[in-house]
Amino acid sequence: MLNALILTVVVLAGALLIWPRLANATLWRATITPLASIIGSGFLVLGPILDVNYGGYAPFIMLALCAIAYLFGSAIRFNIALIADGPKFSPLFERLELASSAVLAFAYFVSVSYYLNLFGSFGVSLTALNDNFHANMLTTAIFMLILTIGWMRGFKALELMEQVSVGLKLAIIAGLVFGLAVHFGEAVQTETLHFDPPKTTGWAAITLMAGLIVTVQGFETSRYLGVTYDAKMRIRSMKLAQWISTAIYIIYIIFLTYTFEADTLSLDETAIIDLMQIVAPILPLLLVAAALSAQFSAAIADTSGSGGLLTEVSKGKISEKLAYALLVGFGILITWTANIFEIISYASRAFAAYYAIQSSIAAIATAKRGDTWKAALFTTMAIIGAAIVVFGTPVE
């Protein structure tokens, strides 16, 4: 019965997402890109990581991550409005913008590795070849496929798959949350809810949280939709995407944290599959389908984005095809030399560097306008971003 209900929720959520009145609404179209990026791969790995390391305090850590992301988003939203105003920018502003683009291009390099390593892990998770070697082989093969497509046909060929995968992923997440809600309700009735003590505390807990910022990253994509949407719409849609993703993440973490004992969890990138098997047999299959489509489409989007940024930053000296080759070479190297939790930490630190520069730009601009409070806020966020770069650590 629960399997049937979960499938019904997935179908209804999918139908809602393709409902013309919603799908064609300008605000929703502008929101879906950052929303899909935020609730992407992080959703698959974050729950078990927080539960094992922070125990009953996991929802509060999740809330803190979302709050930090929202404040970083506020700096980027300020910069969207600043650029839209069209003033003459100083040489310092131009240099910071150039550095920001270069750092974001590198962050995309790491994030593509993150996405495709998850693709490899989930791709073999329900097979007899479920080990690191075969997961890495699958990841390497997908890297080569992306390079071939990028060189021969360009990424326009995969745009349709990217659009379909966004709806599929969000619909399956709706089914997952519904299944967890039922499981949570059963635990309430049987009085089996529990509050596990944290395993990671003090400074280690703070640096681990810093290394997880990439799991709530993705809102910055709104900044680069200027060709399609005006500044006001991009700012509004980024806020909406962050509020929706925060609500989903908090509900998900609460249901997970207080119904599953942390001691019973195996901490690996596909731990969520074992947990969902307990909730309903159909959920592992749905999660693998969501993971494969989501990671592949996200990797395509970030590969394309990094190619364009590198070409722009290098003023055409690095072609998009060369950028794709560099990304794939880097990705294959990191696949075979680092585990997924190390890659998550690297990606978090790369994006934190980008957020630190964006916050610095906002701090300088607000200081010049005499807005002391905002200048202090953005300066603080720049310091936090720099601290994440220096101190962020991977899950052990």
Side-chain angles (χ1 to χ4, degrees):
M1 176 62 72
L2 182 55
N3 284 337
L5 288 173
I6 289 172
L7 269 180
T8 300
V9 170
V10 171
V11 171
L12 290 175
L16 176 63
L17 290 169
I18 63 173
W19 180 39
R21 190 167 179 178
L22 177 65
N24 297 328
T26 303
L27 177 59
W28 180 247
R29 290 204 315 270
T31 301
I32 197 72
T33 297
L35 179 61
S37 295
I38 298 169
I39 317 179
S41 45
F43 197 90
L44 299 169
V45 298
L46 196 53
I49 290 174
L50 293 184
D51 194 8
V52 168
N53 286 281
Y54 299 102
Y57 297 100
F60 301 100
I61 299 299
M62 185 73 255
L63 183 60
L65 280 170
C66 291
I68 292 170
Y70 193 83
L71 290 174
F72 280 135
S74 69
I76 294 175
R77 288 190 289 272
F78 176 85
N79 292 339
I80 290 173
L82 180 68
I83 293 172
D85 288 342
K88 180 175 173 57
F89 297 116
S90 66
L92 175 60
F93 180 94
E94 298 290 351
R95 285 194 292 270
L96 286 174
E97 270 294 297
L98 185 65
S100 175
S101 295
V103 169
L104 183 59
F106 176 73
Y108 281 151
F109 270 45
V110 188
S111 66
V112 172
S113 300
Y114 164 42
Y115 296 141
L116 292 187
N117 272 267
L118 277 179
F119 182 101
S121 296
F122 277 88
V124 301
S125 61
L126 298 181
T127 73
L129 304 176
N130 186 17
D131 56 51
N132 287 335
F133 175 77
H134 288 96
N136 289 347
M137 287 294 292
L138 178 57
T139 298
T140 302
I142 298 301
F143 265 120
M144 296 308 298
L145 173 63
I146 285 178
L147 179 61
T148 301
I149 293 171
W151 272 55
M152 296 183 65
R153 299 194 61 187
F155 291 107
K156 294 288 184 183
L158 292 170
E159 279 186 347
L160 179 59
M161 179 180 177
E162 184 179 349
Q163 293 168 2
V164 171
S165 72
V166 168
L168 174 64
K169 175 172 63 178
L170 292 177
I172 290 176
I173 285 174
L176 168 63
V177 171
F178 173 78
L180 283 172
V182 173
H183 188 68
F184 186 86
E186 292 173 349
V188 170
Q189 289 181 339
T190 57
E191 299 182 350
T192 55
L193 295 180
H194 54 85
F195 190 103
D196 292 323
K199 291 184 178 179
T200 306
T201 58
W203 179 246
I206 295 172
T207 56
L208 175 58
M209 186 176 75
L212 294 173
I213 197 69
V214 73
T215 57
V216 289
Q217 162 272 330
F219 49 88
E220 75 285 340
T221 54
S222 293
R223 180 169 182 188
Y224 302 96
L225 298 176
V227 175
T228 311
Y229 307 103
D230 61 26
K232 186 177 179 181
M233 180 58 68
R234 284 180 285 145
I235 290 170
R236 187 180 172 195
S237 64
M238 190 199 293
K239 285 182 179 179
L240 182 58
Q242 289 197 285
W243 280 115
I244 292 173
S245 62
T246 297
I248 292 173
Y249 265 128
I250 296 299
I251 293 169
Y252 162 61
I253 296 298
I254 287 173
F255 287 161
L256 194 71
T257 299
Y258 302 123
T259 55
F260 293 96
E261 293 187 14
D263 290 339
T264 64
L265 300 183
S266 59
L267 192 52
D268 56 54
E269 57 269 37
T270 58
I272 191 68
I273 291 180
D274 296 330
L275 290 182
M276 293 308 100
Q277 180 69 43
I278 298 171
V279 176
I282 197 171
L283 280 177
L285 293 173
L286 291 175
L287 281 177
V288 169
L292 296 183
S293 63
Q295 303 323 304
F296 189 68
S297 63
I300 290 295
D302 282 8
T303 299
S304 180
S306 68
L309 279 171
L310 276 181
T311 300
E312 180 183 328
V313 168
S314 67
K315 297 181 180 179
K317 293 180 181 178
I318 299 178
S319 67
E320 288 197 8
K321 287 187 175 181
L322 176 58
Y324 301 151
L326 292 172
L327 182 147
V328 168
F330 175 86
I332 292 175
L333 175 64
I334 201 171
T335 294
W336 290 95
T337 57
N339 65 47
I340 187 63
F341 297 128
E342 290 172 326
I343 296 173
I344 289 174
S345 177
Y346 297 152
S348 290
R349 293 157 79 177
F351 278 104
Y354 169 73
Y355 298 145
I357 297 173
Q358 286 291 310
S359 297
S360 298
I361 293 171
I364 293 169
T366 48
K368 286 183 177 180
R369 293 181 177 184
D371 192 337
T372 306
W373 187 89
K374 279 192 175 180
L377 172 64
F378 294 142
T379 299
T380 301
M381 295 314 299
I383 293 171
I384 291 174
I388 292 173
V389 174
V390 176
F391 298 112
T393 58
V395 177
E396 294 181 356

